[in-house]
């Protein structure tokens, strides 16, 4: 069975319109518009790395999936890029051709997840909130106590991740692990961060809104999806905690106002 976390939890999105850059195979071309209208087609797009002019590879695949029935999400095709000369592979191809397509996709997809959705969105973005919290709140402020378990080590972890080249480069520094384990150079990583942040918004951290905007709610994506299913349970638990402090934390709270000023993007 297909397991979404193995494809990239934040990579999958509902395809809302027929994308002219996608070369659908003849087997689905006649029904694709109807499938899109019925909200059955999803994509996992790893093509963003090709927006980097100096990126070494000439492929950055897109996986297209179809929700055939409840709990039955099947691959339709893998397209090697959004370029005109892109190659399309389908599960009906020769066994080794399809296996090659999956290898190509998984390599770039895993790299995208590691650099963009893990390092950038989970670590570097959260550091902004951590720094603002340390600057703004007193130690016994209720919001600080809620945030602290999530931010207590983020600054030190990130400092290690971006060590200078003279100290090994850490994870994403010059000469770091990512540059040694992937085709991305140090400059590529910075360019990728820059490109992603052009359209990134704190709304992406609002899980219900993110799921709604990307067609990933339970009524549309009727498939086990841990990012949604577990995430909404976690959100519900935290809401109960926040509710306990709803009287204490108000819009006129000096510390909270200062925190908001320090988290302007």
């Amino acid at each position: 069975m297909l397991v979404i976390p193995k494809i990239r939890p934040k990579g999958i999105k509902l395809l809302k319109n027929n994308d002219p850059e996608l070369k659908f195979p003849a087997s689905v071309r006649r029904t694709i518009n109807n499938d899109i209208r019925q909200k059955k087609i999803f994509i996992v797009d790893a093509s963003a790395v090709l927006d980097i002019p100096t990126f070494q590879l000439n492929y950055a695949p897109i996986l297209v999936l179809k929700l055939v029935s409840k709990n039955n999400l099947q691959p339709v095709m893998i397209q090697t890029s959004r370029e005109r000369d892109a190659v399309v592979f389908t599960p009906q191809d020769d066994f080794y051709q399809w296996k090659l397509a999956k290898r190509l996709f998984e390599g770039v997809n895993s790299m995208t997840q590691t650099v963009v959705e893990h390092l950038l969105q989970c670590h570097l973005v959260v550091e902004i909130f951590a720094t603002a919290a340390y600057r703004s709140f007193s130690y016994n402020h209720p919001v600080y106590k809620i945030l602290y378990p999530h931010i207590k080590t983020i600054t030190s972890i990130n400092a290690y991740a971006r060590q200078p080249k003279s100290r090994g480069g850490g994870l994403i520094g010059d000469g770091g692990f990512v540059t040694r384990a992937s085709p991305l150079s140090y400059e590529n990583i910075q360019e990728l961060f820059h490109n992603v942040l052009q359209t990134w918004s704190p709304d992406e951290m609002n899980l219900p809104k993110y799921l709604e905007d990307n067609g990933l709610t339970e009524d549309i994506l009727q498939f086990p999806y841990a990012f949604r299913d577990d995430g909404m349970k976690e959100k519900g638990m935290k809401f109960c905690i926040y509710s306990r402090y709803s009287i204490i934390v108000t819009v006129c709270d000096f510390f909270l106002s200062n925190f908001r000023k320090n988290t302007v993007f």
Side-chain angles (χ1 to χ4, degrees):
M1 188 176 92
L2 189 67
V3 181
I4 289 180
K6 290 185 179 178
I7 352 179
R8 204 166 104 225
K10 283 194 72 179
I12 188 167
K13 291 177 173 59
L14 177 70
L15 184 64
K16 298 179 180 180
N17 298 292
N18 195 336
D19 188 335
E21 294 182 335
L22 294 178
K23 303 176 180 181
F24 292 106
S27 58
V28 300
R29 208 171 291 149
R30 290 196 306 170
T31 60
I32 192 65
N33 288 323
N34 188 50
D35 289 337
I36 291 172
R37 281 195 297 271
Q38 293 184 15
K39 301 181 179 180
K40 292 182 177 180
I41 303 297
F42 297 83
I43 64 169
V44 183
D45 192 346
S47 65
V49 290
L50 283 187
D51 292 334
I52 304 170
T54 56
F55 185 60
Q56 295 177 14
L57 304 180
N58 63 353
Y59 62 88
I62 304 135
L63 169 65
V64 179
L65 302 158
K66 180 178 178 179
L67 188 67
V68 178
S69 59
K70 187 175 181 180
N71 294 333
N72 187 8
L73 191 63
Q74 295 293 329
V76 174
M77 69 176 197
I78 292 174
Q79 183 172 310
T80 55
S81 74
R82 290 185 174 274
E83 303 299 320
R84 288 185 177 183
D85 60 351
V87 179
V88 173
F89 297 93
T90 75
Q92 288 73 45
D93 287 337
D94 175 79
F95 174 82
Y96 289 104
Q97 285 183 324
W98 181 238
K99 188 170 185 177
L100 170 64
K102 291 188 286 184
R103 290 278 182 95
L104 294 175
F105 169 77
E106 188 52 38
V108 179
N109 188 58
S110 298
M111 182 176 67
T112 303
Q113 176 174 332
T114 299
V115 176
V116 175
E117 287 150 15
H118 181 75
L119 291 172
L120 177 60
Q121 296 180 5
C122 292
H123 281 265
L124 302 181
V125 166
V126 172
E127 187 176 354
I128 296 171
F129 294 92
T131 304
Y134 292 139
R135 287 177 175 174
S136 307
F137 294 124
S138 62
Y139 177 74
N140 61 352
H141 194 284
V143 174
Y144 179 83
K145 289 184 177 295
I146 292 171
L147 290 175
Y148 183 70
H150 306 284
I151 64 174
K152 62 182 179 179
T153 58
I154 196 71
T155 305
S156 57
I157 290 172
N158 290 356
Y160 171 78
R162 53 176 177 249
Q163 285 189 69
K165 189 174 184 177
S166 59
R167 299 183 62 183
L171 199 60
I172 55 171
D174 193 359
F177 175 77
V178 171
T179 64
R180 299 194 306 270
S182 79
L184 290 170
S185 67
Y186 174 71
E187 290 75 18
N188 289 162
I189 294 171
Q190 305 309 313
E191 288 179 86
L192 187 56
F193 286 169
H194 174 78
N195 292 345
V196 171
L197 290 173
Q198 295 302 301
T199 56
W200 185 87
S201 163
D203 280 342
E204 290 197 28
M205 303 171 74
N206 180 344
L207 183 57
K209 180 172 173 52
Y210 177 86
L211 296 173
E212 184 73 32
D213 289 348
N214 292 290
L216 302 173
T217 51
E218 286 185 272
D219 60 316
I220 297 175
L221 180 59
Q222 299 177 15
F223 190 84
Y225 182 35
F227 182 68
R228 173 195 65 209
D229 304 335
D230 296 345
M232 291 303 290
K233 289 178 185 176
E234 182 76 6
K235 180 179 172 59
M237 293 169 61
K238 285 185 171 61
F239 179 76
C240 295
I241 299 172
Y242 296 155
S243 298
R244 293 173 55 194
Y245 298 111
S246 59
I247 298 174
I248 303 171
V249 182
T250 64
V251 291
C252 59
D253 184 292
F254 168 78
F255 298 101
L256 198 58
S257 298
N258 198 30
F259 176 71
R260 285 199 297 268
K261 290 177 183 176
N262 279 297
T263 53
V264 174
F265 287 87

